[in-house]
Amino acid sequence: MKLTHLFAPLLATAIAAPVLADEVNVYSYRQPELIKPLMDAFTAETGIVVNVAFLKQGMIERLSAEGDRSPADLIFTVDIGRLAGVVDAELTQPVVSDTLAANIPAEYRDPDNQWFGLTTRARVIYASRERVADGEVTTYEDLADPKWAGRICTRSGTHSYSLGMAAAYMHHHGADETRTWLEAVKANLARKPQGNDRAQVKAIWAGECDVAIGNTYYMGKMLANPDQIEWAESVNVVFPTFEGAGTHVNVSGMALARYAPNRDAAVQLMEYLASPTAQEIYAADNFEYPIAPGTQVDALVASWGSFTADSINLMEVAALRATALKLMQEVDFDG
Ligand code: FE
């Protein structure tokens, strides 16, 4: 079987396809429907066909196994941990592009040009509208306060999102204080860490806890799902800060695969996706924040509130993740 057959072409209806169409092959941890509108627009503009292989897991293993015969051109994923993971595994190559540099602020791309952020998401607190007053929780540090005993829900401490947040905490407070904070937060949990971010909001709705930690875009996803609207409407989104600093954010992003067979077309797609207009569409589709200078946040997303992103460089988050994982294990956060 030819490797190209592994791809599901995104174009549902072929538009009098050119016989020798250029192609780009994308390996994506993001769901096809989230990126399809943009890829279709890119194809309409350039004639370059985008094939997306949607992976649920195992991207590093697959790229490693394929080696220099990999059909992958572009890697699409979320979280600095996963972006740094493919870079560390030497599965990417640098892209030097004025367009990318102009549209992606320096804090959201690799100094060595191995990965590029496209959107951000904040890790926020979902607070019960009924049981948590406005202003009752304003910082991540607050979550250690005994007033929250038996009132906090969260997903596993070893998940990428939790590790990124703990890494940022460590940047501000050091490892020892982070361990103390994690112990105190654990002591305040209403139940053992379990489920995804949305499951925590559901638990607030069900009365099991009063505050939960989760990413912003899940608010949009819950509001778009008839079965979950009630969960969303039972909470307020609170943008906590680290004391004296900002709100923890992470990125969705892309990287050029090391052996990209269609390098030029792939770079063209990267530059297209980084354009302010494409960022706004992509961010709105995913309830995230565009990052190019001057871009507008989708009205629904903006309605949850504004915030100042923490100034920590994401490369530092990536570097501190291993220690964060060690601390989670030391305090047996999920136990
Ligand atoms: Fe997520």
Side-chain angles (χ1 to χ4, degrees):
M1 186 171 71
K2 279 174 64 184
L3 282 170
T4 46
H5 290 164
L6 294 169
F7 291 97
L10 269 174
L11 276 182
T13 48
I15 37 165
V19 180
L20 294 170
D22 281 332
E23 289 189 318
V24 179
N25 299 324
V26 177
Y27 278 16
S28 175
Y29 272 146
R30 306 219 82 178
Q31 289 171 356
E33 62 270 22
L34 296 183
I35 55 178
K36 182 180 189 319
L38 272 182
M39 301 303 182
D40 285 354
F42 174 73
T43 301
E45 200 169 289
T46 62
I48 298 171
V49 174
V50 182
N51 306 305
V52 177
F54 171 57
L55 310 181
K56 279 206 147 160
Q57 55 192 11
M59 189 181 302
I60 286 179
E61 291 75 8
R62 179 160 165 181
L63 288 165
S64 299
E66 290 168 350
D68 62 6
R69 295 174 58 204
S70 176
D73 295 303
L74 200 53
I75 295 163
F76 251 73
T77 188
V78 297
D79 199 277
I80 179 61
R82 294 190 188 126
L83 286 164
V86 286
V87 175
D88 290 347
E90 300 186 345
L91 296 168
T92 60
Q93 60 176 304
V95 179
V96 178
S97 157
D98 290 344
T99 304
L100 294 180
N103 289 320
I104 302 171
E107 62 266 38
Y108 298 127
R109 56 184 154 86
D110 177 28
D112 295 327
N113 297 303
Q114 297 280 355
W115 59 263
F116 299 86
L118 284 172
T119 57
T120 57
R121 62 273 298 283
R123 194 131 185 91
V124 295
I125 292 174
Y126 287 103
S128 166
R129 286 190 187 177
E130 281 178 11
R131 301 183 297 277
V132 179
D134 283 350
E136 202 177 339
V137 58
T138 58
T139 67
Y140 297 101
E141 289 84 348
D142 272 347
L143 295 173
D145 192 299
K147 76 179 178 187
W148 297 113
R151 299 173 68 192
I152 301 176
C153 282
T154 183
R155 77 191 309 159
S156 167
T158 63
H159 188 273
S160 269
Y161 302 163
S162 306
L163 293 178
M165 186 178 65
Y169 198 98
M170 213 182 313
H171 164 77
H172 291 290
H173 296 289
D176 286 344
E177 278 186 44
T178 303
R179 185 188 297 105
T180 305
W181 178 69
L182 289 173
E183 280 170 344
V185 174
K186 180 188 175 186
N188 285 340
L189 293 180
R191 58 181 192 177
K192 284 187 183 182
Q194 58 195 270
N196 55 25
D197 282 359
R198 270 183 274 194
Q200 316 312 317
V201 180
K202 181 185 182 186
I204 293 176
W205 167 77
E208 288 180 68
C209 37
D210 296 342
V211 294
I213 303 165
N215 285 350
T216 38
Y217 54 86
Y218 288 114
M219 191 66 180
K221 292 187 174 214
M222 289 184 291
L223 289 169
N225 183 330
D227 297 332
Q228 299 174 358
I229 289 177
E230 279 189 26
W231 309 351
E233 290 181 342
S234 74
V235 295
N236 288 316
V237 176
V238 175
F239 291 89
T241 65
F242 293 107
E243 277 168 10
T247 298
H248 178 57
V249 300
N250 211 311
V251 287
S252 84
M254 58 185 177
L256 186 64
R258 178 166 178 184
Y259 300 106
N262 306 294
R263 190 183 192 283
D264 291 349
V267 171
Q268 214 178 320
L269 176 57
M270 292 173 87
E271 291 179 340
Y272 174 81
L273 293 171
S275 71
T277 309
Q279 278 190 27
E280 285 180 350
I281 295 168
Y282 186 51
D285 282 348
N286 299 293
F287 309 108
E288 294 177 297
Y289 300 91
I291 56 180
T295 44
Q296 297 294 311
V297 178
D298 174 71
L300 173 66
V301 176
S303 74
W304 305 331
S306 58
F307 64 96
T308 302
D310 191 26
S311 59
I312 184 176
N313 189 298
L314 286 176
M315 294 302 287
E316 196 184 344
V317 172
L320 291 171
R321 276 167 44 94
T323 311
L325 176 59
K326 215 176 88 202
L327 293 180
M328 290 289 187
Q329 289 165 341
E330 278 175 23
V331 306
D332 191 21
F333 191 82
D334 290 353

